[in-house]
Amino acid sequence: MVTAQPDDGWRRGVRLGVDVGAVRVGIARCDPDGILATPVATLARDAGPVEGKTDSDKPHVFRDMQQIAEYVREYEAVEVIVGLPVTLAGSEGIAAHHARTYAQVLGKLIDPVPVVLTDERMSTVAATRRLSERGVRGKRQRAVIDQVAAVEILQQWVDKRRRT
């Protein structure tokens, strides 16, 4: 199930944040109280479906999605928060379409754990700025930028949820 907001309000538990990119997927997690998001991993986007997951009536499940499903089980996540890259004007382009599709397939894979889409405007910009301020540049930055963007997405989401 993919939603814009969770149906049942705040409940204690680990959440995973996901930054879906064309080449890599950043993963972050927060503590059960939703106070602090931390990086988990950067996964390569995988062009090949997982063996045994190619039935014509089911969507292709890719290795990166399978790894996220493993993180959901490992951390006993209660929700997965996927960044939705909307433009500064608030419209959705091709990247948002890809993120929605990714979230829908992931949602079917990890059901009954809900997948929540959240506006991720400027998350990569903020992540790049944070890394640059810490002196991380070039190849070192590319290796972790997706994780840091996932942290930004998840931290903004939990902060907003705690305020309401």
Side-chain angles (χ1 to χ4, degrees):
M1 170 175 64
V2 178
T3 63
Q5 293 184 5
D7 295 331
D8 55 352
W10 181 262
R11 68 173 190 249
R12 192 172 192 277
V14 171
R15 272 108 177 136
L16 295 181
V18 179
D19 176 47
V20 180
V23 178
R24 292 176 299 274
V25 179
I27 311 296
R29 68 177 286 246
C30 70
D31 61 282
D33 294 317
I35 295 170
L36 182 64
T38 56
V40 172
T42 299
L43 308 175
R45 284 291 301 269
D46 193 352
V50 174
E51 302 247 342
K53 300 284 186 181
T54 57
D55 296 341
S56 60
D57 61 333
K58 296 179 183 172
H60 290 292
V61 175
F62 298 98
R63 288 181 189 91
D64 51 309
M65 291 179 186
Q66 190 66 42
Q67 182 62 50
I68 294 169
E70 289 175 23
Y71 286 132
V72 168
R73 286 188 292 278
E74 177 183 342
Y75 294 119
E76 298 177 353
V78 297
E79 287 175 305
V80 174
I81 314 306
V82 175
L84 184 64
V86 296
T87 67
L88 290 177
S91 62
E92 293 185 17
I94 190 76
H97 171 73
H98 289 306
R100 280 188 184 280
T101 302
Y102 191 95
Q104 288 170 347
V105 174
L106 180 62
K108 290 176 184 173
L109 179 64
I110 64 172
D111 188 48
V113 176
V115 173
V116 179
L117 290 166
T118 189
D119 182 345
E120 69 149 296
R121 259 179 276 203
M122 305 298 286
S123 64
T124 302
V125 172
T128 301
R129 186 176 305 126
R130 285 186 195 272
L131 289 171
S132 292
E133 288 169 354
R134 290 173 177 80
V136 180
R137 291 185 174 78
K139 288 183 182 181
R140 287 181 46 218
Q141 189 178 77
R142 282 192 300 276
V144 296
I145 191 70
D146 301 286
Q147 286 178 49
V148 177
V151 168
E152 289 287 332
I153 291 165
L154 183 56
Q155 190 68 57
Q156 288 174 13
W157 188 86
V158 295
D159 289 348
K160 183 178 177 184
R161 295 292 297 161
R162 281 198 344 254
R163 285 192 304 265
T164 57

